[in-house]
Amino acid sequence: MKKILLGTVALVALGAAPALAADLAARPYTKAPAYAPAPVYNWTGFYIGGHIGGAFSGDNSIGTGVTASDNGKFLGGVQAGYDWQFAPNWVLGVEGQYSWLSGTNSSVQWGAPGAVFTYSDNQRGLASVTGRLGYTWGAALLYAKGGWAYADYSSSLTFNGAGVSISSKSDGYTVGGGLEYLFAPNWSGKIEYQYYDFGNVDLGNGFSAKNDEHVVKAGLNYRFNWGGPVVAKY
């Protein structure tokens, strides 16, 4: 009887072992995490935007021993352009922009009582059409730019309240650079520096003034991405 009972127990144990092992090996099904593709940023396309900033005179000398004060001015304006990305991290583009300026640019008064000279300069507007070349990594673009520039300004030099007043529009050149960042599929922000040079203004009486500007601005662009939108890389 003992042998029969022992044999029965042994058979039951042997039969249960595989089932138990199968139960221990079973694992619940878990869905694999979704693959998130890395974004590819393409700068190719047209854009429009606006900017604000400040402008400061460069060389403020009027004549021997005479230097005008530099009054920084607020500016605001618009820009539009086109970029083409190639090779694959380089960006080549063209941009046109116009900035309106406020306030008197620079001024100075000198001389003895009864013989006073007064000089003032007022830069009303700055425009440019420039090419730019940049290097991009991810959403950032570091670039340099340069090209044709235009100034709408007025200058005056008076002696005891009478003298010459010049209102003119001049051609010149501009160079600069900046950093732009794509923070959304169709939006980018930038910070930029530009130097404008329009040569000298002849004020008469042996005096002349340099007409140039240093400009620092921040801008916002809307990008149409017609030539190459931001896409996902699979």
Side-chain angles (χ1 to χ4, degrees):
M1 189 66 180
K2 288 183 178 179
K3 290 182 178 180
I4 295 173
L5 290 173
L6 290 174
T8 303
V9 172
L11 289 173
V12 172
L14 289 173
L20 182 60
D23 289 341
L24 291 174
R27 295 181 180 177
Y29 171 74
T30 303
K31 186 178 179 181
Y35 172 69
V40 175
Y41 298 92
N42 193 321
W43 290 84
T44 300
F46 291 93
Y47 63 88
I48 59 173
H51 60 266
I52 58 173
F56 309 89
S57 297
D59 185 353
N60 295 321
S61 60
I62 308 302
T64 303
V66 180
T67 301
S69 63
D70 185 5
N71 302 316
K73 301 174 301 302
F74 173 82
L75 65 82
V78 294
Q79 69 268 353
Y82 178 83
D83 287 325
W84 174 55
Q85 185 170 341
F86 65 100
N89 295 98
W90 292 93
V91 176
L92 185 65
V94 60
E95 182 181 80
Q97 68 175 13
Y98 190 91
S99 303
W100 291 270
L101 286 78
S102 65
T104 301
N105 190 30
S106 54
S107 61
V108 66
Q109 189 175 81
W110 71 98
V116 177
F117 286 93
T118 303
Y119 164 76
S120 66
D121 170 61
N122 182 23
Q123 197 78 257
R124 295 184 291 256
L126 294 170
S128 64
V129 177
T130 57
R132 72 174 189 170
L133 177 64
Y135 183 83
T136 179
W137 64 100
L141 173 67
L142 183 66
Y143 62 89
K145 62 187 296 186
W148 171 83
Y150 162 90
D152 179 8
Y153 70 96
S154 63
S155 298
S156 66
L157 177 66
T158 63
F159 177 70
N160 291 340
V164 60
S165 178
I166 301 168
S167 183
S168 183
K169 297 173 174 62
S170 294
D171 295 325
Y173 73 89
T174 180
V175 292
L179 178 67
E180 192 164 355
Y181 189 83
L182 280 165
F183 61 87
N186 293 95
W187 292 94
S188 64
K190 69 175 182 178
I191 53 174
E192 184 177 88
Y193 163 80
Q194 268 186 271
Y195 172 72
Y196 296 82
D197 191 331
F198 303 101
N200 293 322
V201 180
D202 185 6
L203 301 170
N205 296 308
F207 295 99
S208 65
K210 180 75 172 177
N211 187 5
D212 64 349
E213 295 287 337
H214 297 275
V215 172
V216 179
K217 54 184 175 286
L220 184 68
N221 288 325
Y222 179 82
R223 296 185 163 270
F224 295 97
N225 293 327
W226 293 338
V230 176
V231 297
K233 182 179 181 181
Y234 293 94

